[in-house]
Amino acid sequence: MAVLQMPSPTNPGHELLQSALAQLDRAAKALGLDAGLHRYLRQAERTLIVALPVTCDDGHLEVFTGYRVQHSTARGPGKGGIRFHQSVTLDEISGLAMLMTFKCAVTDLPLGGAKGGVAVDPRRLSRNEVQRLTKRYTAAILPIIGPEQDIPAPDVNTDEQTMAWIVDTVTMMTGKHSPEVVTGKPVDLGGSRGRTEATGRGVAFVTLEVLRRQGTRPDATRVAVQGFGNVGSVTAKALAQAGCKIVAISDVSGGYASAAGIDIERAIEHARRNAQRTLEGFGGVSRISNAELLASDVDVLIPAALEGQITGENVSEIRAPIIVEGANGPVTAEADRMLADRGVLIVPDILANAGGVVVSYFEWVQSRAQFYWELEEVETRLEIYMRRAMELVLAKAKAYDCPPREAAFIVAVDRVASAISKRGIFP
Ligand code: NAD
């Protein structure tokens, strides 16, 4: 069993793990949770670390490190994405796995929490090298994944192509066609309609709900979105379609701003045509830095890139009164406290970006039944799950007189702890 609270100050995922633990601790205190159950939830059920040798195109051998962490399977099989990024560490993946447990619980899915990752910068590899790495990683974690054990999905720098390679590997190794082993697959390989857009659509949905509850019209709302990948670009597009003015966007290539509003369709098309899939060279707008984007004078700020973007160091520069967490863990615990003191409303990651896992759940259901839904059915059901979770979290926030983040954890921790108690500790 991996102990999650190991400090390692030079580790970039350390902050994310500490903040996930701090949120669990706060919820446990508010709920008066049994001390033993609390200690159990601070740890991952299972951690696998694998060495991944890959023969590169020029014949030399590279070795990467991969992880799969299952934080809790108390409410169902583990569920969580796979990330390919050079900064991946065990702390980061452990923190993200824990967030997945609580994300699935807050949306009331019959699933637990897991996460995987490989420490690699995939942009430095050819497509064939990434394919070999993905297949080797899949073979290495195969003993602990499966539709009734743990179901991976895409995350940073992985996509439906990655999932198709995973399906192929499992099918080849088991001799059984295995589409239900992952979600986020291509639709013609058993993926769900609407999965690719689900996270961004969910982020846009909760943003518009917050505005509606405050009596603010979308067309009177200026928004900045950090990150223009799957989550950021779909969120920006959905909000622009609802009438919001997207005045700043950014990605690894930097930031792009226009007070008159950015044409998001044109930005998406630009990134799609760009070999690196970035906004590099996007014209007709001002260039800004990512730091300037975060400090934009906007009504809503949506960090949708990576964790740890709003920290104790830059929090005083944040001007947006509403932050909707498209990314996982974009606000550190220290910054979170300071923003709460200033009355900034934060819609927390485990609620705001849960749309992806909700439709992943729908995909798992469809793959197992081999019966596929129309897009309209997926979108209608997604809205039902997001609305229900949001209403419950806001009601808890009122009842406990606490910010939505704490309320979301109270709902989630209570559900997971209750599942463990009802099952009884084995043996
Ligand atoms: P992605 O790889 O599609 O996009 C990531 C984006 O962030 C890219 O545009 C990249 O250029 C940008 N980026 C990277 N470093 C940056 C930096 N320093 N400054 C500004 N931009 C930077 O990944 P994604 O799937 O969109 O995931 C983004 C976040 O959302 C992650 O935290 C992920 O865990 C979370 N998330 C994703 C999903 C999903 O369904 N894809 C679901 C829930 C949460």
Side-chain angles (χ1 to χ4, degrees):
M1 243 185 221
V3 177
L4 287 179
Q5 60 269 40
M6 293 289 282
S8 50
T10 54
N11 182 335
H14 178 70
E15 187 71 47
L16 180 123
L17 174 58
Q18 290 310 310
S19 122
L21 285 166
Q23 286 156 22
L24 164 63
D25 294 348
R26 255 199 307 278
K29 191 170 172 202
L31 287 163
L33 190 68
D34 171 81
L37 279 181
H38 181 194
R39 276 201 304 280
Y40 184 28
L41 288 175
R42 283 181 67 89
Q43 301 191 15
E45 279 177 15
R46 179 146 68 170
T47 296
L48 182 61
I49 304 177
V50 292
L52 303 169
V54 174
T55 306
C56 294
D57 295 343
D58 66 2
H60 88 278
L61 189 71
E62 285 281 342
V63 185
F64 303 94
T65 304
Y67 306 92
R68 186 74 191 171
V69 176
Q70 293 163 353
H71 170 257
S72 169
T73 55
R75 286 172 49 86
K79 188 86 195 78
I82 290 170
R83 166 177 297 205
F84 287 173
H85 196 273
Q86 59 277 17
S87 69
V88 160
T89 59
L90 180 57
D91 272 2
E92 180 187 62
I93 300 301
S94 302
L96 290 167
M98 179 184 274
L99 288 179
M100 285 307 300
T101 297
F102 298 128
K103 193 181 297 184
C104 291
V106 84
T107 40
D108 208 11
L109 306 179
L111 295 167
K115 199 83 183 186
V118 179
V120 58
D121 181 356
R123 290 170 308 173
R124 299 174 67 125
L125 302 185
S126 70
R127 184 184 153 87
N128 278 335
E129 289 166 343
V130 175
Q131 180 176 169
R132 287 198 288 278
L133 174 64
T134 304
K135 291 189 168 183
R136 182 70 189 221
Y137 171 70
T138 307
I141 64 168
L142 188 57
I144 66 163
I145 62 167
E148 283 156 359
Q149 278 180 285
D150 177 3
I151 310 121
D155 192 65
V156 174
N157 291 331
T158 57
D159 57 15
E160 58 175 42
Q161 175 60 75
T162 325
M163 298 305 114
W165 288 330
I166 296 176
V167 169
D168 181 67
T169 310
V170 177
T171 300
M172 288 299 115
M173 291 188 67
T174 60
K176 292 180 192 151
H177 186 57
S178 306
E180 67 280 17
V181 74
V182 286
T183 60
K185 304 176 285 288
V187 171
D188 53 5
L189 266 185
S192 177
R193 292 182 175 84
R195 168 62 186 89
T196 310
E197 301 80 17
T199 307
R201 288 186 76 95
V203 175
F205 173 80
V206 296
T207 307
L208 294 170
E209 259 311 290
V210 167
L211 294 174
R212 191 184 64 76
R213 284 165 184 261
Q214 291 193 345
T216 309
R217 291 198 339 252
D219 60 7
T221 306
R222 292 158 308 146
V223 181
V225 182
Q226 185 201 35
F228 206 66
N230 177 297
V231 181
S233 66
V234 175
T235 301
K237 184 175 164 185
L239 288 176
Q241 279 171 345
C244 297
K245 198 184 277 186
I246 315 298
V247 295
I249 55 177
S250 73
D251 67 7
V252 273
S253 70
Y256 305 80
S258 166
I262 296 169
D263 180 347
I264 296 300
E265 300 270 9
R266 187 169 71 82
I268 290 173
E269 191 50 27
H270 180 89
R272 198 181 64 78
R273 285 167 181 268
N274 196 325
Q276 292 291 335
R277 298 275 185 270
T278 68
L279 290 162
E280 187 66 58
F282 183 56
V285 292
S286 324
R287 288 300 306 260
I288 57 171
S289 66
N290 257 300
E292 286 168 322
L293 178 134
L294 292 173
S296 299
D297 179 17
V298 287
D299 305 296
V300 182
L301 173 63
I302 304 184
L306 292 173
E307 63 262 19
Q309 297 299 302
I310 301 174
T311 65
E313 286 186 4
N314 64 1
V315 66
S316 60
E317 287 155 28
I318 304 297
R319 287 193 278 173
I322 300 172
I323 296 175
V324 181
E325 295 186 330
N328 287 313
V331 179
T332 66
E334 184 187 8
D336 191 54
R337 272 193 304 278
M338 292 161 87
L339 289 166
D341 288 347
R342 272 169 44 193
V344 174
L345 174 66
I346 302 181
V347 185
D349 45 12
I350 64 167
L351 174 64
N353 68 30
V357 76
V358 170
V359 177
S360 268
Y361 163 57
F362 298 162
E363 182 174 327
W364 177 65
V365 169
Q366 294 171 73
S367 288
R368 292 182 62 130
Q370 289 293 318
F371 180 76
Y372 292 91
W373 308 350
E374 294 303 323
L375 179 61
E376 200 185 350
E377 186 168 2
V378 172
E379 288 181 346
T380 307
R381 287 184 193 264
L382 170 62
E383 198 171 311
I384 292 170
Y385 273 76
M386 293 301 293
R387 186 182 301 284
R388 198 171 48 198
M390 184 150 178
E391 279 170 1
L392 183 58
V393 167
L394 294 179
K396 276 279 182 230
K398 216 170 183 181
Y400 280 80
D401 189 21
C402 67
R405 188 190 307 282
E406 192 172 335
F409 271 81
I410 288 171
V411 170
V413 171
D414 196 24
R415 282 182 172 156
V416 179
S418 157
I420 296 170
S421 300
K422 283 180 184 153
R423 286 174 57 161
I425 299 296
F426 182 83

